[in-house]
Amino acid sequence: DQQVKQNSPSLSVQEGRISILNCDYTNSMFDYFLWYKKYPAEGPTFLISISSIKDKNEDGRFTVFLNKSAKHLSLHIVPSQPGDSAVYFCAALFGANSKLTFGKGITLSVRP
Amino acid sequence: KAGVTQTPRYLIKTRGQQVTLSCSPISGHRSVSWYQQTPGQGLQFLFEYFSETQRNKGNFPGRFSGRQFSNSRSEMNVSTLELGDSALYLCASSRLAGSSYEQYFGPGTRLTVT
């Protein structure tokens, strides 16, 4: 049972444009949602998180939007840079003492 | 401030042996989680420790165990190694601050079982 879904396996955008990475979830009890960036053979790098009581959180070029009624969240990267090319994972957490449930990831390619 | 550190970074072991991996969390973080990452299964949760107590556990056999010390440093042990245990083992430390939750990963320990 995949509770966190990233249905698009890849995304390609032009440098300077906006990248929108989507994530859906099925468990309405999730309390926090996190986004990670990952390069091959490395650990995930934490980017940004959002509490289920909020609908938006912003940190520099990264903004996460949460739509609880649709059980959907998205990560916006503006402007996209070639160094943003990596695999991005959405993850969700139930309570603050629980495990992260990860999506399968989406590969972002930013073209110069 | 320093991030999550893991030692060693690489290990090669033989089937049947045991291995101990170490993790030092970010200063001030009291929660440490361990994950196994493989190409086929992705990131899978092993267990989580908080204040020296295991408070969450994933679906791994009892050969996988861990502990946390009073300084929040954590160790993970795998006994009777199998070929399928070859993976990148990641440690993460986390904190809850108000309505914000953050979990940071270390660089991982690459374990190869031959």
Side-chain angles (χ1 to χ4, degrees), chain A residues 56-76:
Chain A
K56 178 183 175 181
N57 191 24
E58 198 170 350
D59 185 359
R61 295 187 300 118
F62 302 98
T63 303
V64 56
F65 294 91
L66 176 62
N67 182 334
K68 287 188 289 294
S69 61
K71 294 192 180 68
H72 176 84
L73 66 153
S74 60
L75 175 68
H76 293 210

Side-chain angles (χ1 to χ4, degrees), chain A residues 4 19 21 69 74 76 90 110:
Chain A
V4 178
S19 294
L21 309 175
S69 61
S74 60
H76 293 210
C90 166
V110 180

Side-chain angles (χ1 to χ4, degrees), chain B residues 51-100:
Chain B
S51 294
E52 302 178 66
T53 301
Q54 186 183 89
R55 64 179 183 182
N56 213 336
K57 189 176 188 303
N59 296 323
F60 278 80
R63 300 186 296 108
F64 292 82
S65 63
R67 58 177 176 168
Q68 186 180 33
F69 302 94
S70 58
N71 62 359
S72 293
R73 191 177 69 86
S74 177
E75 287 182 347
M76 189 191 93
N77 185 75
V78 188
S79 62
T80 320
L81 284 166
E82 301 175 359
L83 293 178
D85 296 333
S86 295
L88 180 67
Y89 289 89
L90 294 161
C91 167
S93 74
S94 59
R95 69 164 187 166
L96 176 63
S99 63
S100 172

